[in-house]
Every structure is written in structure tokens, then in C-alpha cells.
């Protein structure tokens, strides 16, 4: 009976377990619930089987390297090419970080300000939506015409891609006003600034983190895409370079690096969410 | 979060309410069948009574502008809150109790009239006045200790550790400092919010249906606790409720409000000696007072107030 009840009401179960797995509710992402050793083992096992299977079948069926290189070749390419690759990695990271910092700060401040004025918010929202839904990659050729083949057009594209994402999610967070909590702070003599930093921001934090996560992943996409469009540096540029030379192990080595960067971003924000927004179940 | 265990709690609440009604009506049908509606067991008092006044509300009116026109939430409310008294403000839902209390806390501006603490007009929150809200209103992203330190943080003062620890000990929350609100029961949360308010040592406590969301057992427990705290500290308390028996159980005086527009309809003195035990709520005298106030409210406005 107890068992059945527990199964039917997962929320209850979670609470009873000490609320160990509170995640970001607004985000559709999840690292999954806390894993047992066995589950981790199975995940690793599957990875081994896939990689080993690919390696084996590529050897067995004699698949040419330019169709799909063997995993072992990819890894060895990663090591041998590393000295040529890392400057490009740094450039991509630099573009991503700068563009994201600019975009996210503007997006965050705009969200915080705009949500205070319902009229302004109603006017601005459709334009922000337009920015969110239009792929900013499309603007890159234009930006290159204007700013040349340096990092600037790509930084701008990253900012344009991540900013609206941060803005729209943070605005959702800031809109969740709880008048009683604000009244509570005011009854203890809080100033407007204190209400903002001690009540509004913490209350919006879960959504802000979701915005930062989505925004930075969009930023990475845009940075790589922009590098593929023009210029002579960055991981995106290397992708086109190696594929033009049909050097597939190197090409896939870069894909491996990109996958790692994406996962790192995700894990970082997931950790941040656990730290700062785990109160929201 | 809110609904956790609520089914059980609601069933309990219902059961207790039903018992209450049964016991009240049983008493009614057994001996007190002849309680005449005019006979007053509680005395009415006028503002002329000679007591030190802590807060004075004079002709306070407040209307809200809404899309469908103005709502007159308060209409020329005049009320004295005496130094050190336990005043209960009783009224049906929507009669303006919260509006009155928020105005007393300086969280609202009045449309007309004024509210004073001593000689000071209250137009914004005052450090001597602390408010306790309906659901404990703890910040879910802070643990208990951090929640209680909030007032100090906002006032940019170091927290009064000795006082906080003593209060936590007093309400039985010592050792829970690292817990988050969601890990605490409703009663514990409300006790924490009481500690938070008392930690800054205000002289006036305004409580807006603080125990309204609790089950009946926890509510009794909290009523006893707040009585004890009041007897120990002698703070001036204005306590809003829509439960007649809770009002009588706690109060020195009960101010009954009528609805639309919100007015003070009547004020009753309650002369039950303290400390009052929960049991007194089943005594014939007590029930008589409940019924008396109830009949007057129904007589006056046709408004409904639950006997709980
Ligand atoms: N912000 C507001 N805007 C418009 N009308 C309001 C507002 N706040 C309260 N009112 C109206 O004013 C009247 C009094 O409300 P108030 O909340 O003070 O009543 P209350 O006695 O506390 O009720 P309850 O027992 O339900 O808490 C109600 O009719 C309510 O609809
Ligand atoms: Mg109310």
C-alpha cells in the first residue's frame, strides 16, 4: 500500500528522500536523477560498446577513412594536432566568452528594467521575440562586410544570439513577483535596491540560470557557425579547413572538442543551478 | 509544495470543525437553549475608556482603484490599539482586515484619515512595528538562520545572536537553523516567522491570520504559544482572524468589522483570566460569547463567519 502510494506521488517520494534531486524545473534539461553506481557502469559500458563496435566494424568492412575514421585514429589525431588546434580553441572560447558576457549583461539588465514597466514590456517583447527566433547566423556575412574578418563580427553575432535568450528567460523570472515577499522586506525597512537584490533577483534566479544556459549554448552554435562563414581562425574555420582537405580524423577530433565544450557549459550551469536555485522544487 | 499532506490536514481540519460545531450545538441544545440574543456576555466599550493608546487609527478610509471602479475597502475606521493589549480584529472575508493591517504597518497609504504610533504618523514602515503574514512568508532560498537574519541584513546591523538563539529555543526551533523552509512543517515555518519578527524587538506586532492555513491541532498549539509569548513580552498585538473562537480565546478586546465598506461594527471586552487553556473553548460561557458575537455579525450584515 505504502509502496503504491509512493509510486503514484513522485513528489512525495522525492521529499521523503530528503529532497536530494531538486533540479531546474523551468529547464527541459536534466542530468537525470542521482545515479547509482550500477547505472553509471551501464552508461560507461554502452559507450565502450558503441566506440569499440564502431572501431571493429570499420576495420571489418574496410570503410575508407574519408567516409568515417576509426575512433582510435580520431583520438590520436586529437593528440598529434593539438599544438595546431589549441590557438583556435582559445579564439573560439574568447569569442564565446566576450560575446556572451556582452549579450548576457545587456539581456539581464534589460529584463530587470523592462519588467518594472508593464507598458514598456508589452511594446518591447515582440521585438525581443523576433531577435530570439531569427537565426543571428544569417547576419554574419553582413557583419563581416562592416567589421572585416577579425573577431568582432563573430563576437557581435554571439552577443546577438545569446542576449535575447538571457533576456526573455530572465524576464519570465522577474515577472514572478510575490507581493507578500516584497511587503515583508519593506516592513523591515528595505530600500528599493535591497528589494531588488534580496528578493527579486533570488526569486528570478532559477529562470535566469536557465536563460544563461540556453543563451551560452546558442552562443557556442553561433560562434562556430560564424567562423565557418568567414575568417581564418577558430574551431569553425578549422572544420571547413580539414573537411576541404578531407582530413577526417582531424575533422572529427574538432567535433570531439566541440562536444566537450557544449557538455562543459551544460554541466557548469547545472552545477550553478544546484547551488543557487535548488530551493525551487 | 503547498499541497503536501494537505488532504490529510484538510480532513483533520474538517473533522475538528465538525466536532466543534457539534459540541457548540450540543451545548446549545442541552442547557443554553434559552440564550437570549440580546443578553450580552461580552461588554461593549467605547473609545472613552481610560487607557494608554499605542496606536490610534482615525477615520481611516481606503479605496482601491480597479478596472470595474473603486472598491471601498475601509470606510472611516477609527480604532485605538492600547499599550500592551492583545487586540483581535474579527470579520468576514473581504471586509478589509488585511487592508487595515497593511495600513497600520505603513505598507499602504490611506485615501484619507490617519494612523499614528504615539504621536508619529505612520506613512511608511516603522522599525517599532513588525508584521507577521498569513503563510509564514519565509524566503525559500534561505535557510532558517538566514531567514531570521533578514531584518538585520536589511537594516545593515549585525544580527543579535543571543536574542535570536533565545527565541529559537523558546519556540522549540533550536537545532533547525540549517533547514530550509520546505523541510519544515507549516507550524514550524510560522514559528520561525514569529522569531524573525520578534528578533528585532518591535513594540507592536501585527498578525494577519497567521494561523489560518494550519490544521486545527497545530493552530491550538500556536494559539497557546502566542499567548505565552504575549504574557512574557507584553507586546502590543493586533491579530486579524476570521475565527470567532480564536479571537475570543486570544484577545483582551475583539473588534468586529463589517464588510463593504469595511467598518468597525463593535468592540467586545473579553474578561477571561489568563493563562487560558485550550479547553475553555468548550465551556458554556465561552460558547455563549461565540454565539453572541456570531448572532450580532449575522444580525448586522447578513455576513457569514465560520464558528471554528
Ligand atoms: N490591491 C487591491 N486592489 C483592488 N481591490 C483590493 C485590493 N486589495 C484588496 N481589495 C479589495 O478590498 C476589499 C478588502 O480586502 P482585504 O484583503 O483587506 O480583506 P480581508 O478582510 O483581509 O479579507 P480576507 O479575510 O479574505 O483576507 C476586498 O473587497 C478586496 O477585493
Ligand atoms: Mg486578508
Amino acid at each position: 500500500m505504502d509502496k503504491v502510494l509512493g509510486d503514484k506521488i513522485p513528489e512525495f517520494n522525492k521529499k521523503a528522500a530528503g529532497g536530494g534531486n531538486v533540479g531546474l524545473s523551468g529547464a527541459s534539461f536534466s542530468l537525470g536523477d542521482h545515479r547509482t553506481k550500477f547505472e553509471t557502469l551501464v552508461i560507461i559500458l554502452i559507450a565502450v560498446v558503441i566506440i569499440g563496435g564502431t572501431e571493429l566494424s570499420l576495420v571489418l568492412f574496410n570503410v575508407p577513412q574519408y567516409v568515417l575514421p576509426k575512433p582510435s585514429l580520431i583520438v590520436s589525431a586529437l593528440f598529434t594536432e593539438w599544438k595546431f588546434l589549441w590557438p583556435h580553441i582559445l579564439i573560439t572560447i574568447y569569442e564565446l566568452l566576450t560575446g556572451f558576457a556582452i549579450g548576457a549583461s545587456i539581456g539581464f539588465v534589460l529584463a530587470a528594467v523592462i519588467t518594472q514597466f508593464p507598458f514598456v514590456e508589452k511594446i518591447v517583447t515582440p521585438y525581443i521575440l523576433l531577435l530570439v527566433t531569427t537565426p543571428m547566423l544569417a547576419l554574419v556575412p553582413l557583419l563581416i562586410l562592416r567589421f572585416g574578418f577579425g573577431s568582432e563580427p563573430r563576437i557581435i553575432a554571439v552577443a546577438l544570439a545569446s542576449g535575447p535568450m538571457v533576456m526573455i528567460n530572465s524576464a519570465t523570472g522577474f515577472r514572478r513577483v510575490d507581493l507578500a515577499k516584497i511587503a515583508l522586506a519593506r516592513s523591515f525597512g528595505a530600500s528599493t535596491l535591497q528589494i531588488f537584490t534580496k528578493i527579486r533577483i533570488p526569486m528570478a534566479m532559477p529562470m535566469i540560470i536557465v536563460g544563461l544556459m540556453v543563451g551560452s549554448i546558442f552562443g557556442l552554435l553561433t560562434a562556430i557557425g560564424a567562423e565557418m562563414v568567414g575568417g581564418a581562425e577558430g574551431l569553425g574555420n578549422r572544420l571547413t579547413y580539414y573537411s576541404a582537405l578531407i582530413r577526417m580524423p582531424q575533422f572529427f577530433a574538432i567535433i570531439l572538442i566541440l562536444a566537450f565544450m557544449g557538455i562543459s557549459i551544460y554541466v557548469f550551469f547545472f552545477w550553478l543551478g544546484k547551488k543557487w536555485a535548488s530551493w525551487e522544487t | 509544495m503547498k499541497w503536501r499532506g494537505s488532504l490529510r490536514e484538510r480532513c483533520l481540519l474538517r473533522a475538528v470543525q465538525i466536532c466543534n460545531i457539534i459540541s457548540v450545538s450540543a451545548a446549545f441544545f442541552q442547557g443554553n437553549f434559552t440564550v437570549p440574543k440580546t443578553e450580552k456576555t461580552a461588554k461593549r466599550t467605547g473609545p472613552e475608556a481610560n487607557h494608554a493608546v499605542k496606536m490610534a487609527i482615525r477615520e481611516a478610509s481606503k479605496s482601491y482603484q480597479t478596472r470595474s471602479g473603486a472598491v471601498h475597502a475601509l470606510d472611516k475606521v477609527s480604532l485605538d490599539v492600547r499599550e500592551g493589549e492583545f487586540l483581535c480584529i474579527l470579520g468576514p472575508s473581504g471586509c478589509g482586515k488585511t487592508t487595515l493591517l497593511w495600513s497600520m504597518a505603513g505598507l499602504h497609504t490611506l485615501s484619507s484619515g490617519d494612523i499614528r504610533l504615539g504621536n508619529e504618523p505612520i506613512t511608511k514602515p516603522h522599525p517599532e512595528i513588525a508584521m507577521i503574514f498569513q503563510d509564514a512568508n519565509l524566503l525559500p532560498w534561505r535557510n532558517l538562520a538566514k531567514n531570521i537574519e533578514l531584518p538585520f541584513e536589511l537594516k545593515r546591523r549585525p544580527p543579535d545572536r543571543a536574542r535570536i538563539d533565545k527565541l529559537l529555543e523558546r519556540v522549540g526551533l533550536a537545532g533547525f537553523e540549517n533547514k530550509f523552509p520546505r523541510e519544515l512543517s507549516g507550524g514550524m515555518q510560522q514559528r520561525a516567522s514569529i522569531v524573525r519578527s520578534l528578533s528585532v524587538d518591535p513594540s507592536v506586532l501585527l498578525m494577519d491570520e497567521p494561523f489560518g492555513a494550519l490544521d486545527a491541532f497545530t493552530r491550538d498549539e500556536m494559539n497557546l504559544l502566542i499567548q505565552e509569548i504575549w504574557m512574557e513580552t507584553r507586546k502590543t498585538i493586533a491579530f486579524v482572524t476570521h475565527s470567532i473562537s480564536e479571537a475570543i480565546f486570544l484577545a483582551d478586546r475583539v473588534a468586529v468589522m463589517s464588510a463593504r465598506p469595511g467598518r468597525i461594527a463593535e468592540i467586545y471586552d473579553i474578561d477571561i483570566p489568563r493563562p487560558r487553556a485550550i479547553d475553555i473553548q468548550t465551556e458554556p460561557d465561552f460558547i455563549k460569547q461565540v454565539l453572541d458575537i456570531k448572532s450580532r455579525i449575522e444580525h448586522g450584515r447578513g455576513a457569514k463567519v465560520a464558528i471554528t
Side-chain angles (χ1 to χ4, degrees), chain A residues 202-216:
Chain A
M203 207 135 71
M205 193 49 82
M207 286 311 292
I208 293 174
I209 291 175
V210 169
L212 292 176
M213 182 194 280
V214 180
S216 54

Side-chain angles (χ1 to χ4, degrees), chain A residues 9 11-12 15 18-19 22 122 178-191 193-195 198-200 202-203 276 278-281, chain B residues 1 3-4 102 105-108 125-127 129-131 133 135-142 150-151 153-156 180 182-183 196-197 200:
Chain A
I9 312 172
E11 192 77 12
F12 176 78
K15 291 272 163 50
V22 263
K122 280 198 189 106
D178 184 340
L179 285 179
K181 299 216 164 24
I182 291 171
L184 168 82
R186 286 219 295 129
S187 78
F188 290 121
S191 66
L193 183 69
Q194 281 179 321
I195 287 173
K198 306 236 183 255
I199 309 286
R200 284 188 197 273
M203 207 135 71
W276 286 350
S278 65
W279 53 272
E280 197 179 58
T281 47
Chain B
M1 224 183 122
W3 63 269
R4 182 161 45 124
W102 279 46
L107 294 167
H108 265 164
H126 191 285
I129 303 173
M131 178 100 180
F133 296 82
D135 51 352
N137 209 4
L138 299 174
L139 305 181
W141 53 87
R142 285 169 174 248
L150 178 77
E153 222 176 287
L154 293 173
K155 291 167 198 282
R156 296 178 207 286
F180 281 81
R182 67 183 137 83
E183 299 170 302
R196 176 174 63 189
S197 297
V200 287

Side-chain angles (χ1 to χ4, degrees), chain A residues 179, chain B residues 62-66 71-74 91-101 108 134 208-209 240-242 257 260:
Chain A
L179 285 179
Chain B
K62 166 97 189 163
S63 51
Y64 293 105
Q65 302 305 325
T66 62
V71 179
H72 292 280
L74 294 179
S93 190
C95 73
K97 306 182 294 291
T98 298
T99 307
L100 178 62
L101 218 63
H108 265 164
Q134 171 149 13
D208 189 3
E209 290 184 39
V240 160
T241 176
H242 55 228
M257 285 185 75
R260 273 165 235 283

